[in-house]
């Protein structure tokens, strides 16, 4: 399946230029980066603002994907930065900055790099890395990650219905996957299926061009509308043994990837909080009521400060998570708490920001409406708030609430 890039420019419908005033990084966590890393983040921020922001509003409204920005993302080397996993704080700030511009594009990069490419890098063979990673890192071929199913999300580890049956040097896959980001145009999809022989969950790199593979776009979403989520159906899809990930022999191996993916979603929630704060502060300073800016009103200032408190607290949490990743001491419950707490604060922040904009806060002519809607997806995916709290609860009590 090939992608044809349309170079026709798409003009943003957002009413005003993005606010570039005081940063939401109130405690200057950015200073923990080296000067060279700070420069890389600054350069990426400039590219995101110049090349990505102008196109996303119209694509979000139309539920289309801006293929024209793929070369821009490739030039920043974001996929390799994530896949090699040796500078977690820098990667976190890059995720923050891209999410601050648009959560859908950040999700596209996160799924492709943090789930598809990282899985091959960490769990694949030398042959698989040689065959797939160069195209993945360059974004010449897009990858997707297919775990969840129509009837199984939180309980997919125990009740996965997609099956894989081995015959000689090949496997036959059958089942349905749902909510698969980039699933409509991905060249390769990492399919997770239950081995009918040993009942363990295994991973397979599946070409979307194989017979029996179909992908149908999920329509009418209210969040992450740029992300092309798909329902993928597998009907006797035959996959070679050389495309099975040998490092994934049970769901425990899959969970290693999910732990790191919860971390980058945590950084996304910070990015959305920064975006909401910037948008609300800009609007409050410019919007005049009763012959003065609404930023002069006590109630508006209180909302802005609460948003800043939430963003600052969430950023501090994610910085510590990056330090744990770097030290090799991050545990699943750490990632779960970070994702749960940051997404809860994000949900409050975007609601406060939407209220600062009043009626304009529900119009997609203003950036806040998109931020507000996208936050709902981040609150739910990569483990809902409730499931992540139960992961932490199990760690602190020794009792699983899942049974």
């Amino acid at each position: 399946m090939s992608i044809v890039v349309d170079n026709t420019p798409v003009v943003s419908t957002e009413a005003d230029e993005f606010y570039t005033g005081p940063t939401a990084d109130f405690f200057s966590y950015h200073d923990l980066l080296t000067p060279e890393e700070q420069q890389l983040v600054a350069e990426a921020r400039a590219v995101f603002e110049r090349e990505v922001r102008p196109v996303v509003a119209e694509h979000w409204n139309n539920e289309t994907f801006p293929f024209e920005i793929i070369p821009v993302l490739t030039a920043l080397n974001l996929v390799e930065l994530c896949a090699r996993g040796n500078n977690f704080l820098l990667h976190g700030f890059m995720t923050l900055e891209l999410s601050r511009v648009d959560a859908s594009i950040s999700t596209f990069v996160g799924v492709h790099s943090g789930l598809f490419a990282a899985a091959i890098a960490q769990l694949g063979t030398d042959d698989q890395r040689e065959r797939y990673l160069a195209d993945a890192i360059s974004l010449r071929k897009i990858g997707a990650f297919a775990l969840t199913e129509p009837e199984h999300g939180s309980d997919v580890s125990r009740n996965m219905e997609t099956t894989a049956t081995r015959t000689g040097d090949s496997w036959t896959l059958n089942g349905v996957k749902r909510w698969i980001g980039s699933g409509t145009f991905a060249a390769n999809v990492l399919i997770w299926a239950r081995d009918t022989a040993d009942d363990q969950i295994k991973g397979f790199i599946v070409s979307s061009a194989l017979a029996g593979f179909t992908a149908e776009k999920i329509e009418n979403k209210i969040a992450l509308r740029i992300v092309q989520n798909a329902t993928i159906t597998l009907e006797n899809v035959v996959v070679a043994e050389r495309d099975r990930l040998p490092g994934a022999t049970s769901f425990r191996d899959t969970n290693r990837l999910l732990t790191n993916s919860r971390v980058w979603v945590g950084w996304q929630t910070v990015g959305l909080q920064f975006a909401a704060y910037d948008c609300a502060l800009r609007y409050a300073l410019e919007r005049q009521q009763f012959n003065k800016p609404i930023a002069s009103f006590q109630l508006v200032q209180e909302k802005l400060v609460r948003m800043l408190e939430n963003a600052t607290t969430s950023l501090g949490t994610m910085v510590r998570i990056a330090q744990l990743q770097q030290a090799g001491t991050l545990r699943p419950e750490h990632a779960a708490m970070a994702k749960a707490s940051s997404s809860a604060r994000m949900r409050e922040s975007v609601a406060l920001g939407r209220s600062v904009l009043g009626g304009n806060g529900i119009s997609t002519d203003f950036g806040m409406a998109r931020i507000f809607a996208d936050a709902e997806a981040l609150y739910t995916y990569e483990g809902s708030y409730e499931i992540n709290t139960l992961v932490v609860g199990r760690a602190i009590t020794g009792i699983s609430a899942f049974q």
Side-chain angles (χ1 to χ4, degrees), residues 58-272:
E58 191 69 17
H59 279 289
W60 195 94
N61 285 341
N62 294 331
E63 289 189 288
T64 54
F65 186 87
F67 292 108
E68 64 268 31
I69 69 170
I70 286 182
V72 173
L73 300 175
T74 301
L76 291 172
N77 211 26
L78 299 176
V79 180
E80 186 174 14
L81 176 62
C82 177
R84 71 172 181 255
N86 62 356
N87 192 328
F88 296 101
L89 189 61
L90 175 59
H91 177 251
F93 271 97
M94 288 290 200
T95 300
L96 184 161
E97 291 296 343
L98 183 53
S99 303
R100 178 173 164 267
V101 170
D102 185 70
S104 290
I105 303 302
S106 175
T107 298
F108 162 74
V109 173
V111 169
H112 176 80
S113 59
L115 290 174
F116 178 79
I120 296 173
Q122 297 171 25
L123 305 175
T125 63
D126 289 339
D127 171 64
Q128 289 168 348
R129 285 187 281 270
E130 183 177 349
R131 286 188 292 127
Y132 291 109
L133 275 186
D135 282 338
I137 288 171
S138 66
L139 289 168
R140 287 191 297 269
K141 291 186 177 180
I142 306 304
F145 186 90
L147 178 65
T148 55
E149 300 178 347
E151 302 300 327
H152 303 291
S154 299
D155 71 345
V156 73
S157 64
R158 299 181 181 181
N159 298 307
M160 183 179 292
E161 296 182 27
T162 302
T163 61
T165 302
R166 183 169 183 173
T167 304
D169 289 332
S170 66
W171 295 78
T172 301
L173 274 55
N174 283 283
V176 181
K177 297 294 185 179
R178 186 164 170 81
W179 293 113
I180 310 308
S182 303
T184 62
F185 59 82
N188 297 296
V189 181
L190 185 53
I191 300 287
W192 298 92
R194 188 177 299 281
D195 186 347
T196 55
D198 62 11
D199 208 37
Q200 294 298 316
I201 292 175
K202 296 179 170 63
F204 302 85
I205 306 169
V206 179
S207 168
S208 60
L210 289 175
F213 181 106
T214 58
E216 181 181 0
K217 179 181 175 181
I218 297 174
E219 305 279 1
N220 304 321
K221 298 186 302 176
I222 68 163
L224 299 183
R225 288 166 59 84
I226 288 174
V227 176
Q228 303 297 291
N229 292 99
T231 296
I232 291 175
T233 302
L234 307 158
E235 294 182 351
N236 295 320
V237 176
V238 178
V239 181
E241 162 64 11
R242 70 187 299 220
D243 285 326
R244 179 181 64 85
L245 289 181
T249 58
S250 71
F251 193 79
R252 188 172 290 109
D253 301 311
T254 314
N255 211 30
R256 289 166 49 195
L257 298 169
L258 299 180
T259 294
N260 286 327
S261 71
R262 283 171 177 164
V263 172
W264 62 254
V265 175
W267 282 100
Q268 281 189 299
T269 70
V270 181
L272 254 70

Side-chain angles (χ1 to χ4, degrees), residues 23-34:
T23 175
D25 185 6
F26 200 64
F27 288 168
S28 300
Y29 284 110
H30 183 265
D31 293 347
L32 294 174
L33 296 168
T34 67

